Amino acid sequence: AQSVTQLDSQVPVFEEAPVELRCNYSSSVSVYLFWYVQYPNQGLQLLLKYLSGSTLVKGINGFEAEFNKSQTSFHLRKPSVHISDTAEYFCAVSNQAGTALIFGKGTTLSVSS
Amino acid sequence: GAVVSQHPSWVICKSGTSVKIECRSLDFQATTMFWYRQFPKQSLMLMATSNEGSKATYEQGVEKDKFLINHASLTLSTLTVTSAHPEDSSFYICSARQGAGEQYFGPGTRLTVT
């Protein structure tokens, strides 16, 4: 069975500071990994995904993530955050492209000035 | 990118009544749609997977007689919460995919049962 662990439930940071949101997964088969962002009372927007190839994945809004198979991690990073990045971030995994996703519990990123 | 809509965006109903939520893929044909449920401050939990023209596959613990899912066309899936109770109050999110492609998520429907 697959599972996703987001290690931090809340991450407060100041504007223009770097941020890392941590995600670890467990799976006995090959995985596809995703990061989604959810703004209040809205659906999910895909930030980036890892399906295969380069382990460093760049996404929208200046975010990037690195797939580390040995550490079973897929941490999300941004070198300089903005107030508008305040939102809930979900890491997710699936064992095939397009199948149902298993989500982590989410990390609340709060950016203040 | 592909767009998925949900209707209504929020609904309040009385305990014991039924509520239907629609999920539409606006610019692509969705061979598969997924229904998720999200409690406040929690993650999304998959409720069921529906393929067009087939019966939905429900996750363990989800009552199929209570949460009726219909995927009658390639652009529309509906979730009907029957005999709703306050504990059914939640945020319901659908997603849709074409073939083995990426999932696209709808904006969600907030259900409040009084």
Side-chain angles (χ1 to χ4, degrees):
Chain A
Q2 297 173 314
S3 66
V4 177
T5 302
Q6 290 184 243
L7 298 163
D8 308 294
S9 59
Q10 296 189 14
V11 175
V13 293
F14 288 108
E15 193 173 20
E16 297 183 6
V19 71
E20 177 180 81
L21 306 183
R22 297 181 293 169
C23 173
N24 285 89
Y25 67 93
S26 66
S27 177
S28 58
V29 297
S30 297
V31 294
Y32 299 92
L33 294 157
F34 307 79
W35 274 98
Y36 287 88
V37 60
Q38 184 181 34
Y39 298 100
N41 295 311
Q42 295 187 29
L44 275 67
Q45 181 181 9
L46 180 66
L47 279 176
L48 48 78
K49 60 186 175 184
Y50 171 79
L51 302 181
S52 65
S54 173
T55 56
L56 182 62
V57 181
K58 294 189 182 296
I60 62 172
N61 301 342
F63 285 94
E64 64 179 32
E66 185 158 18
F67 171 58
N68 188 317
K69 188 174 182 178
S70 63
Q71 297 186 6
T72 61
S73 67
F74 191 55
H75 300 333
L76 180 70
R77 302 185 183 96
K78 186 170 182 177
S80 176
V81 294
H82 301 290
I83 298 286
S84 59
D85 291 323
T86 295
E88 191 77 14
Y89 291 80
F90 292 98
C91 181
V93 63
S94 71
N95 60 5
Q96 294 180 44
T99 58
L101 297 167
I102 306 298
F103 285 88
K105 292 189 175 183
T107 297
T108 302
L109 175 63
S110 299
V111 183
S112 57
S113 57
Chain B
V3 179
V4 176
S5 69
Q6 283 184 239
H7 178 79
S9 56
W10 62 273
V11 58
I12 302 173
C13 71
K14 292 188 176 181
S15 186
T17 62
S18 295
V19 175
K20 180 184 286 188
I21 301 170
E22 293 184 348
C23 176
R24 293 182 184 273
S25 57
L26 299 185
D27 50 5
F28 68 101
Q29 293 185 325
T31 50
T32 303
M33 287 186 170
F34 304 93
W35 286 95
Y36 295 85
R37 182 175 182 177
Q38 184 181 30
F39 290 104
K41 303 293 185 182
Q42 295 190 29
S43 188
L44 283 76
M45 300 299 294
L46 179 67
M47 298 176 67
T49 302
S50 73
N51 293 298
E52 186 265 339
S54 303
K55 288 185 177 180
T57 302
Y58 290 81
E59 293 300 299
Q60 190 174 10
V62 177
E63 299 176 59
K64 62 181 181 181
D65 294 330
K66 181 171 185 60
F67 298 99
L68 301 178
I69 292 173
N70 183 277
H71 191 169
S73 79
L74 286 171
T75 59
L76 173 65
S77 176
T78 60
L79 167 66
T80 301
V81 183
T82 62
S83 187
H85 291 284
E87 57 265 30
D88 298 324
S89 298
S90 190
F91 196 51
Y92 293 88
I93 301 176
C94 73
S95 69
R97 76 166 198 230
Q98 183 178 37
E102 180 181 328
Q103 284 186 53
Y104 297 95
F105 285 82
T109 296
R110 183 161 302 285
L111 170 64
T112 301
V113 184
T114 60

